[in-house]
Amino acid sequence: MSAKLIKGTEIREEILEEISSEVTEIKEKHGKVPGLVTILVGSSPASISYVTLKIKTANRLGFHEIQDDQPDDIAEADLLALIDKYNNDDAINGILVQLPLPKHIDEKKVLNAIDPDKDVDGFHPVNVGRLMIGGDEVKFPPCTPAGIQEMIIRAGVETSGAEVVVVGRSNIVGKPIANMMLQKGPGANSTVTVVHTRTKALDEHCKRADILIVAAGVPGLVKPEWIKPGACVIDVGVNRVGEKPSKKNPDRMVAILQGDVDFDAAKEIAGSITPVPGGVGPMTITMLMKNTLKSLKFKLGLN
Ligand code: NAD
C-alpha cells in the first residue's frame, strides 16, 4: 500500500495563513508588525535565491522587511557594527544573516553577535542552550528541526513513546531535532537514537524506528528494507543529482533533486513519508516567519 504523503507545500500554506491572521490581529490591537532584517553578504546565486524567498514570504505576511545587502569584501568589523545597529533597532524583531559568509569573516563571531532575543534562526549558543533545557525556556527552535516537528504533529503521527531514529548529527538538523523529540511536551516524549558515519549496523537502528528522520546528505542512503512497515519517514536530504530542462522555460536547466531515502520503494512500506522536493524544504522559511512573529509576541508580552 502507498504511504500517506506529508506535503510541506500544503502544511506551509496552513501555517502561513495562521501567521497572517495573527499579524493582522496584533497590528489592530497593538499597532505593530514583526520586523525582519535579512543581511546577504556577496552575490552567491544560491544565497540570493534563499534570501529572495525569505523576503517574498515576509512581505506576503505583512512584515516590516529590510533587505540590507552587503558587498563581498565588507570588513568583519563593519558587519558586526551593522548587527549591533539592528540589535538596537526597536522595529526589528529578527536578524537573519544568510550563510555561508565569505572566508575572511568569522561566521561564529557574527552569529554570536546577534542579540539572542532576535536570533530567529536559533543558532546562537544561548538559544541552543534554551533548546537543550526545553519547555518554557525555548524561544527560537532552529527552523528546519522546528519544521520537521510541526510536520510530524500535523500529520497526526504519535510521538509519545515512539522510537525515533535520527540519521545525522549536524548542528542545524540532526542534533537539534533529536533533542526536541526527547523533550517533554506535544510532538515529543520520544525515545531517540542518533546514528552517524561511525555507527555500526545503521540498518539495524533504522529498522526499529517508528519515526525515521534522515538528514545525511547522501542520496538514496536509506534502503526500503531498512524501513519498519507503517513507519513515518521524514527525508530531510536535498541532493542535486543532475539537471533537466525547466518545465516553464525548456531553454533553462534546473537541478534534479533527490532525498536521502529511496522514495519510490520506501513509500510502499512506510505509513507516511515526506517527498523531495516539496517535503521538509518549504517548512524552513515558514518556521523562520513563525519565529519572527514569536519574537514580536515575546516583546509585547503575548507569549
Ligand atoms: P551535514 O553534512 O552537516 O551533516 C550530515 C550528517 O549525516 C553528519 O552528521 C554525518 O555524520 C551523517 N552522515 C553522512 N553520511 C552518512 C552515512 N553514510 N551514514 C550515516 N550517517 C551519515 O548536513 P546537514 O546540514 O545536516 O544536512 C543534511 C541534508 O539535509 C543535506 O542534504 C541538506 O541539503 C539537507 N537540508 C535540508 C534542509 C531543508 O530542507 N530545509 C535544511 C538543512 C539541510
Side-chain angles (χ1 to χ4, degrees), residues 174-228:
K175 276 194 270 184
I177 189 62
N179 183 35
M180 288 161 78
M181 298 306 293
L182 62 79
Q183 299 287 356
K184 287 184 180 168
N189 283 322
S190 307
T191 304
V192 181
T193 306
V194 182
V195 297
H196 46 79
T197 38
R198 300 295 177 94
T199 299
K200 292 173 191 158
L202 198 64
D203 55 337
E204 290 306 321
H205 288 287
C206 292
K207 280 179 195 169
R208 276 201 333 269
D210 300 311
I211 301 173
L212 181 60
I213 301 171
V214 192
V218 180
L221 172 69
V222 172
K223 310 287 175 270
E225 58 274 20
W226 298 9
I227 295 168
K228 181 173 171 179

Side-chain angles (χ1 to χ4, degrees), residues 49-115:
S49 86
Y50 289 135
V51 167
T52 307
L53 253 179
K54 289 168 188 174
I55 294 167
K56 253 169 105 174
T57 312
N59 285 333
R60 167 182 163 187
L61 294 170
F63 285 16
H64 163 58
E65 216 291 326
I66 297 179
Q67 179 181 3
D68 203 339
D69 293 352
Q70 296 298 321
D72 207 27
D73 60 355
I74 184 175
E76 186 181 273
D78 292 339
L79 185 57
L80 292 172
L82 192 67
I83 289 170
D84 191 50
K85 178 181 113 179
Y86 290 115
N87 280 343
N88 292 298
D89 183 339
D90 257 5
I92 292 299
N93 306 104
I95 300 172
L96 181 125
V97 179
Q98 185 64 44
L99 301 179
L101 290 170
K103 289 207 165 54
H104 68 280
I105 295 177
D106 181 346
E107 218 163 79
K108 209 157 104 185
K109 210 165 165 184
V110 170
L111 294 182
N112 290 1
I114 298 173
D115 178 348

Side-chain angles (χ1 to χ4, degrees), residues 115-117 119 122-132 139-140:
D115 178 348
D117 291 345
D119 167 43
F123 292 155
H124 193 287
V126 167
N127 284 315
V128 176
R130 287 169 170 163
L131 190 80
M132 178 65 96
K139 279 208 154 175
F140 307 119

Side-chain angles (χ1 to χ4, degrees), residues 144 167-174 195-198 202 214-218 221 236-239 260 280-282 284:
T144 302
V167 184
R169 56 176 166 180
S170 71
N171 285 332
I172 64 163
V173 190
V195 297
H196 46 79
T197 38
R198 300 295 177 94
L202 198 64
V214 192
V218 180
L221 172 69
V236 191
V238 181
N239 306 293
D260 290 349
V280 176
T284 302

